[in-house]
Amino acid sequence: MEFRLRPWRLEDAPSTARWANDLEVARWLRDVFPNPYTLQDAEVFIQICLEAGENNLYRAIEIDGQAVGSIALARGVDVYQKNAELGYWLGREFHGKGVMTQAVREICRMGFAQWDIGRIYAEPYAGNAGSRRVLEKAGFQLEGVLRRSVYKLGETQDSCMYSLLRGMLGGDDAK
């Protein structure tokens, strides 16, 4: 399926609210991602993306001219300055079509090219088989399981630590 990663635009708010307003999307994300997800939530999120500094890389996932998901890297600070955290979500209609695996590879290449970092990590919930599969197909390796590390929807869950090191994507991500 064809898609592109691009900077966010204020006019993305209606489509973002449409695709984000789904409990099956929200259940796998941090509580900062609300459910229900309103137009105002989308507008606030997009404004944050537009005002983000140089240590954040926010991109809309666009399919057929509309924002149907989000992907981001946030560079670490202090002793974590050589790391970046990866986060993402995609409208459920587009799951299982290879979009997110390619989007993860693309934003990781961007992050390695833009910043002097050596590691990108993601922390999906252990029960989120789809997200874990995306990371593995994109070249991330499981570093470990963090037992009872998250509390979501009234339930304590395990999460997994995945990482991608510079040079693991092949091509121009090596330094």
Side-chain angles (χ1 to χ4, degrees):
M1 175 169 271
E2 300 243 350
F3 73 96
R4 74 180 182 123
L5 298 186
R6 61 161 174 77
W8 283 95
R9 302 185 294 237
L10 291 174
E11 57 268 23
D12 291 326
S15 65
T16 300
R18 173 185 175 205
W19 295 106
N21 189 27
D22 183 344
L23 180 59
E24 288 307 308
V25 171
R27 85 170 41 258
W28 302 114
L29 301 172
R30 293 179 182 164
D31 286 343
V32 71
F33 189 97
N35 184 264
Y37 196 105
T38 67
L39 179 61
Q40 182 179 8
D41 293 322
E43 290 167 346
V44 168
F45 170 72
I46 292 167
Q47 195 61 47
I48 289 168
C49 294
L50 294 174
E51 295 172 1
E54 62 186 27
N55 286 327
N56 295 284
L57 188 57
Y58 289 101
R59 292 293 180 264
I61 300 171
E62 179 186 289
I63 296 176
D64 295 331
Q66 63 177 321
V68 300
S70 177
I71 190 163
L73 288 176
R75 187 170 178 186
V77 296
D78 196 35
V79 298
Y80 301 105
Q81 65 187 286
K82 298 293 184 176
N83 293 265
E85 182 177 11
L86 170 68
Y88 51 84
W89 68 267
L90 185 65
R92 201 168 8 153
E93 181 177 313
F94 307 99
H95 290 189
K97 299 180 185 207
V99 170
M100 193 53 78
T101 299
Q102 291 302 319
V104 165
R105 287 180 182 138
E106 188 174 329
I107 201 157
C108 288
R109 282 190 182 93
M110 293 166 71
F112 283 129
Q114 184 169 324
W115 299 320
D116 180 22
I117 58 172
R119 178 176 178 271
I120 296 173
Y121 69 94
E123 205 175 328
Y125 304 159
N128 190 347
S131 188
R132 294 179 66 185
R133 193 168 40 254
V134 161
L135 293 168
E136 290 165 2
K137 287 172 31 177
F140 281 69
Q141 293 182 353
L142 176 65
E143 292 183 342
V145 175
L146 306 171
R147 299 179 311 152
R148 297 187 216 159
S149 59
V150 295
Y151 183 76
K152 182 73 180 188
L153 299 175
E155 180 179 301
T156 301
Q157 303 177 48
D158 296 345
S159 64
C160 299
M161 179 60 74
Y162 280 87
S163 71
L164 180 75
L165 303 179
R166 182 180 290 280
M168 291 174 66
L169 279 171
D172 55 0
D173 78 310
K175 246 190 192 176

